[in-house]
Amino acid sequence: MRKKSDWQLFAKISWMIGFLLVIFGSTTINNQAKVLASATYNLAPYLWTSAITSIIIGAYIALLFLKQLKLKFNLGLFVCVTIPCLTLTLYYPILAFTPAFLENLEFLALPQLLGLTSETIFGVVAGLTLILSLFQWRE
């Protein structure tokens, strides 16, 4: 019984150290993209790195909930939560990446929706639910 308790403590401490490394890495990458965006006046790299790092953070947080790595697809979670959150996360970077294509589609760039999609919480939820929809997380 003592060995299992020691192993769980080691796993929790390892997860926390890994989480700090992921946060540090994503902050460094976002800062580098912000510097690049300010130097080139191109906001697209910063928007993409912000979206992708928030998805990675969410995927790492999902590791807390996994009991085993048994592949089992949860269609309901994927369709009802993951796809809408991925859409909201990637909406603004795609709009910024393809301005020439969307010149005639200005109605897609609603200010309220752009403000909502700039939040990174949707990326965290998208990454979390993506992992939880792919793997079995309940016993």
Side-chain angles (χ1 to χ4, degrees):
M1 186 71 175
R2 176 98 170 121
K3 277 193 167 201
K4 187 175 182 180
S5 175
D6 289 343
W7 171 250
Q8 288 177 344
L9 179 65
F10 176 73
K12 290 175 185 176
I13 291 172
S14 298
W15 184 91
M16 190 61 200
I17 291 170
F19 184 67
L20 291 174
L21 290 173
V22 167
I23 295 295
F24 177 74
S26 68
T27 304
T28 303
I29 290 170
N30 281 338
N31 288 340
Q32 290 296 322
K34 195 181 291 186
V35 167
L36 178 68
S38 67
T40 62
Y41 300 108
N42 184 7
L43 197 58
Y46 174 70
L47 295 174
W48 280 105
T49 56
S50 177
I52 291 170
T53 55
S54 66
I55 292 170
I56 290 171
I57 289 170
Y60 191 81
I61 291 172
L63 294 177
L64 282 175
F65 300 106
L66 293 179
K67 301 289 184 201
Q68 54 188 346
L69 288 178
K70 184 178 179 184
L71 192 62
K72 183 179 179 190
F73 189 65
N74 186 345
L75 183 65
L77 184 64
F78 185 75
V79 170
C80 294
V81 181
T82 305
I83 290 178
C85 285
L86 275 174
T87 303
L88 287 173
T89 301
L90 299 176
Y91 181 77
Y92 195 41
I94 289 173
L95 278 182
F97 189 67
T98 57
F101 174 71
L102 296 174
E103 280 181 5
N104 297 328
L105 302 174
E106 291 177 4
F107 65 91
L108 290 175
L110 299 172
Q112 298 86 1
L113 189 57
L114 291 179
L116 181 68
T117 59
S118 65
E119 298 296 323
T120 58
I121 189 68
F122 290 111
V124 172
V125 172
L128 182 105
T129 57
L130 177 66
I131 298 299
L132 294 181
S133 67
L134 292 177
F135 295 104
Q136 181 177 355
W137 55 281
R138 293 187 206 139
E139 290 184 301

